[in-house]
């Protein structure tokens, strides 16, 4: 098996002071924040929908989804458009930082932290030098969301 077969290419983004990663094959695009139309009767973490090149796309605020403190948008705030199981959804993040190749050997199971809501959404943790990347389980993040 070659090294490329053991690598996972990910998009790294920031939320509060942590770095998260999602597989690049799930990412369609990274957009600046645009007008989001609120939709009544949806969970609080669903900010609404956007019209992205003619496609109505639901937008999820990951800070709210993970019950993290709220913050105002900055010039670095981005919407990462992902596709999971044929569903296109936008994730609001504090900043999109990097594209990295992760060796699957560097990915460990998530540590058990009692009481952390975001644990339900984590598939593993990758160590790269001094960085820790939290890998998201996107199907869990989107469960009951769209």
């Amino acid at each position: 098996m070659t090294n490329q077969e053991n690598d996972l290419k990910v998009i790294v983004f920031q939320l509060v002071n942590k770095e998260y990663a999602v597989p690049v094959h799930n990412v369609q695009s990274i957009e600046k924040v645009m007008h989001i139309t609120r939709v009544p009767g949806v969970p609080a973490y669903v900010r609404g929908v956007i019209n992205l090149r003619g496609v109505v796309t639901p937008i999820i605020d990951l800070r709210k989804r993970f019950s993290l403190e709220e913050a105002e948008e900055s010039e670095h705030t981005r919407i990462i458009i992902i596709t999971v199981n044929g569903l296109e959804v936008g994730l609001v993040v504090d900043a999109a930082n990097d594209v990295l190749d992760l060796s699957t050997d560097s990915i460990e199971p998530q540590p058990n932290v009692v009481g952390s809501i975001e644990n339900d959404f984590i598939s593993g943790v990758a160590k790269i030098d001094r960085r820790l990347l939290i890998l998201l389980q996107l199907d869990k993040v989107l469960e009951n969301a769209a």
Side-chain angles (χ1 to χ4, degrees):
M1 199 178 273
T2 66
N3 280 345
Q4 286 185 332
E5 291 172 334
N6 286 329
D7 286 349
L8 174 67
K9 191 177 278 288
V10 296
I11 300 282
V12 179
F13 64 90
Q14 189 164 349
L15 212 51
V16 189
N17 292 321
K18 296 179 185 172
E19 286 189 301
Y20 295 82
V22 293
V24 75
H25 68 264
N26 290 111
V27 177
Q28 301 302 307
S29 64
I30 298 174
E31 308 288 335
K32 289 187 174 180
V33 175
M34 57 188 79
H35 176 73
I36 299 172
T37 303
R38 293 191 182 276
V39 177
V42 296
Y45 55 82
V46 178
R47 276 219 195 154
V49 295
I50 61 171
N51 182 349
L52 184 65
R53 294 180 277 279
V55 177
V56 176
T57 306
I59 303 299
I60 294 174
D61 187 329
L62 281 186
R63 280 180 176 257
K64 287 184 181 174
R65 182 67 168 147
F66 297 162
S67 300
L68 301 172
E69 64 190 68
E70 293 187 36
E72 291 190 23
E73 294 172 0
S74 75
E75 64 185 67
H76 301 290
T77 304
R78 294 289 182 268
I79 298 174
I80 299 177
I81 306 296
I82 60 165
T83 302
V84 177
N85 299 327
L87 181 65
E88 193 168 286
V89 175
L91 305 175
V92 178
V93 302
D94 292 350
N97 294 347
D98 227 337
V99 178
L100 294 175
D101 288 313
L102 296 180
S103 165
T104 52
D105 297 337
S106 68
I107 301 172
E108 297 180 5
Q110 62 167 318
N112 286 329
V113 179
V114 177
S116 176
I117 292 171
E118 55 187 320
N119 269 3
D120 294 340
F121 308 117
I122 297 172
S123 63
V125 177
K127 294 180 197 171
I128 300 178
D129 300 324
R130 304 177 80 174
R131 296 167 75 179
L132 279 179
L133 303 178
I134 300 168
L135 300 169
L136 291 183
Q137 201 166 340
L138 288 173
D139 54 340
K140 294 286 186 189
V141 173
L142 300 184
E143 215 165 63
N144 303 321

